[in-house]
Amino acid sequence: MRKNKKSSLSSIVWRIVLGLTGLSVVIAAIVHGNNVALLDSRGFVAHEQRKLLFIIVALLMVIGIPALFLAYYTAWKYRESNDNVKRSSRVKNKKILVSVIWLIPSMFALLLAMIMWPATHRLDHKSTIDSGTKPITIQVISMRWKWVFIYPEQHIATVNFVQIPEHTPINFMLTADEAPMSSFWIPNLGGQLYSMTGHSNQLNLVGDTVGDYVGSSAEINGEGFADMKFTARVSPKSAFDFWVNQVRLSGQTLDETQYQELLKPSEKTPATFYGSVNSTLYDRVLMKYGASMGGHEHMAGMGENE
């Protein structure tokens, strides 16, 4: 009888191990060779977020796998058809058992808090990224269904394309114009943050690896949501300076007439470049919805690092 019990328990353990191994192999096969942006960090913020994700998942598995096993094992052992087990409502050392049941998850909760609290503040979307390089400010206006990028220091603007120099902190200032709330997200570089009318949200990111990355809206915001994408290009500083000069020579100007055309809803808008732009355009968009010029409202904690 004891042999049968041991073989049954051993069979259950092996099935669980084989199931977890098979799941791991399937996930590895799907991920291998593909750009799974959340796991393919190409910037400081994204790298820190990925590291935090792995730590938290590992800790949750340490407590989660044994808990699931014990839940299944208890249900199996004390099943109605098992007449060989003694059932009693009286438990020996009840106080010790209750203490252990509460102590273990409490310790894990405390450990998670000790990890998450400093990480949350360190990765706050408004926190300045330590770097010896001067940050660049890029103003972002989300529309239906496109993204407008304004470089106030370089006096240029683009649509559905943003280029940044590597190892340079970028201060994205986000708002929206005549559009539902959108979510600005470049997953290879960091977490997402909402853009909404009448507010200016601040998101600090940095790209450490040269390449082109897909940016999009992580928030469903209407008919053109699926194609509301843009290219985020990280390039060497020299290539960035050359690109800025080329855009300046494009001859196009983002004036009031052009801007009103951009405001019209459109899908799959191609990348467009403007060699000059009104320096007050971003503030005028904010004022349009009652926000004060220069006194941008920052919606702290609205969706960053999700």
Side-chain angles (χ1 to χ4, degrees):
M1 186 64 70
R2 286 184 180 179
K3 262 187 181 181
N4 291 336
K5 285 184 178 179
K6 285 182 179 180
S7 61
S8 298
L9 180 58
S10 177
S11 174
I12 293 171
V13 171
W14 275 111
R15 286 177 185 177
I16 293 173
V17 171
L18 287 174
L20 291 174
T21 303
L23 180 62
S24 300
V25 170
V26 170
I27 293 174
I30 293 173
V31 171
H32 181 69
N34 295 315
N35 176 23
V36 181
L38 286 175
L39 305 179
D40 186 22
S41 58
R42 298 305 174 109
F44 168 76
V45 176
H47 178 71
E48 290 295 308
Q49 290 175 346
R50 185 185 67 172
K51 184 167 67 175
L52 183 63
L53 174 66
F54 286 165
I55 292 173
I56 298 304
V57 169
L59 286 174
L60 291 177
M61 289 181 69
V62 167
I63 190 173
I65 292 176
L68 290 173
F69 171 76
L70 287 174
Y72 181 84
Y73 174 72
T74 302
W76 172 82
K77 181 177 180 179
Y78 293 99
R79 65 193 184 278
E80 186 178 2
S81 60
N82 187 7
D83 298 325
N84 299 317
V85 68
K86 294 181 180 179
R87 299 179 178 84
S88 174
S89 59
R90 303 179 68 180
V91 181
K92 295 179 180 180
N93 302 318
K94 184 177 180 180
K95 290 183 179 180
I96 297 176
L97 178 61
V98 171
S99 299
V100 170
I101 290 173
W102 281 100
L103 182 61
I104 293 176
S106 297
M107 289 174 61
F108 272 90
L110 180 61
L111 181 59
L112 286 173
M114 291 172 63
I115 295 171
M116 290 296 294
W117 179 270
T120 300
H121 287 277
R122 186 175 69 255
L123 297 174
D124 181 75
H125 57 90
K126 293 189 294 181
S127 296
T128 303
I129 298 173
D130 293 331
S131 174
T133 308
K134 180 185 175 183
I136 292 177
T137 296
I138 299 178
Q139 298 165 339
V140 184
I141 304 173
S142 61
M143 299 179 177
R144 293 176 295 174
W145 283 272
K146 63 186 79 71
W147 299 92
V148 176
F149 299 92
I150 300 171
Y151 294 72
E153 297 167 7
Q154 289 75 23
H155 308 291
I156 63 172
T158 63
V159 175
N160 284 345
F161 182 90
V162 60
Q163 184 161 334
I164 61 176
E166 61 179 334
H167 308 306
T168 301
I170 306 298
N171 178 20
F172 288 104
M173 305 298 297
L174 312 173
T175 192
D177 194 3
E178 295 188 11
M181 183 169 65
S182 302
S183 178
F184 181 82
W185 193 24
I186 310 174
N188 289 103
L189 302 185
Q192 61 90 18
L193 187 65
Y194 292 118
S195 64
M196 59 191 82
T197 55
H199 299 285
S200 182
N201 292 344
Q202 179 180 345
L203 176 63
N204 288 318
L205 296 175
V206 63
D208 293 330
T209 305
V210 172
D212 287 358
Y213 308 108
V214 177
S216 65
S217 173
E219 178 82 12
I220 297 177
N221 58 1
E223 184 179 351
F225 156 74
D227 295 308
M228 193 174 173
K229 301 181 185 297
F230 62 91
T231 299
R233 175 169 295 171
V234 179
S235 66
K237 181 66 165 59
S238 58
F240 172 77
D241 293 336
F242 178 79
W243 172 77
V244 169
N245 290 328
Q246 290 297 109
V247 173
R248 285 172 179 165
L249 296 173
S250 66
Q252 291 199 75
T253 300
L254 183 54
D255 54 20
E256 187 62 29
T257 302
Q258 287 286 336
Y259 187 78
Q260 291 303 318
E261 284 296 315
L262 287 175
L263 272 179
K264 295 178 181 178
S266 63
E267 300 179 34
K268 299 182 180 180
T269 304
T272 311
F273 307 91
Y274 299 94
S276 62
V277 61
N278 191 322
S279 60
T280 64
L281 177 58
Y282 187 82
D283 285 316
R284 282 165 50 202
V285 171
L286 286 174
M287 290 179 65
K288 179 178 177 180
Y289 299 95
S292 60
M293 183 179 293
H296 300 163
E297 297 179 56
H298 301 292
M299 300 296 289
M302 287 291 293
E304 164 60 357
N305 299 331
E306 293 182 2

